[in-house]
Amino acid sequence: MVKKIIHDPIFLAQKSDPATEKDAHIITDLIDTLKANEKDCVGMAANMIGEKKSIIAINVGMGQLVMINPQIVSKSKPFMTTEGCLSLAGEPKETRRYFEIEVEYLDRDFKSQKQKYTGWSAQIIQHEIDHCNGILI
Ligand SMILES: [Zn+2]
């Protein structure tokens, strides 16, 4: 189901709880809402649709990559960039990102995964994981 995007900075500043298999319905809503906003948005965290659970979804090519309880386990090649956010009004803000990251997460089937990402997808993943930690750009 497509959900409303949360803009409340106090809600968004709270750290999300780890997700369990009971939260699987949130994944469907997150993907539906990401698809409905794909013109303005390349990734979304569950708290942006009002669910304080550590789940993110990212547009990749023809589909969506879902990460449950994602953790960045290594990062390298920092750089400064500007980013916008669907939950925040106003101009894009400058922030520090890493060009290469390695992420541990559970996939949609709650199977453990470890994967390296670089460039644009790495940047989106960092933005969405920040959301899970209550961090806004
Ligand atoms: Zn955002």
Side-chain angles (χ1 to χ4, degrees), residues 29-49:
D29 291 343
L30 191 59
I31 287 176
D32 289 347
T33 311
L34 177 59
K35 281 184 184 164
N37 287 281
E38 66 185 357
K39 200 161 50 77
D40 313 302
C41 184
V42 288
M44 201 170 274
N47 62 352
M48 292 172 69
I49 60 166

Side-chain angles (χ1 to χ4, degrees), residues 57-70:
I58 289 141
N59 275 337
V60 282
M62 297 300 288
Q64 288 79 34
L65 172 65
V66 171
M67 293 180 168
I68 300 158
N69 304 334

Side-chain angles (χ1 to χ4, degrees), residues 48 84-87 127-128 131:
M48 292 172 69
C85 178
L86 194 61
S87 279
H127 181 106
E128 304 311 332
H131 272 295

Side-chain angles (χ1 to χ4, degrees), residues 107-123:
D107 65 19
R108 283 191 79 170
D109 301 316
F110 287 85
K111 296 218 164 53
S112 194
Q113 304 286 346
K114 191 175 189 180
Q115 189 72 47
K116 280 185 179 154
Y117 296 91
T118 58
W120 179 231
S121 37
Q123 188 179 342

Side-chain angles (χ1 to χ4, degrees), residues 80-130:
M80 295 304 288
T81 185
T82 53
E83 285 179 6
C85 178
L86 194 61
S87 279
L88 297 177
E91 290 297 301
K93 292 193 176 68
E94 189 167 43
T95 186
R96 178 187 298 269
R97 294 296 179 205
Y98 294 84
F99 187 78
E100 288 179 359
I101 57 169
E102 191 169 18
V103 189
E104 279 182 1
Y105 63 97
L106 303 175
D107 65 19
R108 283 191 79 170
D109 301 316
F110 287 85
K111 296 218 164 53
S112 194
Q113 304 286 346
K114 191 175 189 180
Q115 189 72 47
K116 280 185 179 154
Y117 296 91
T118 58
W120 179 231
S121 37
Q123 188 179 342
I124 301 163
I125 291 166
Q126 288 167 81
H127 181 106
E128 304 311 332
I129 290 179
D130 276 356

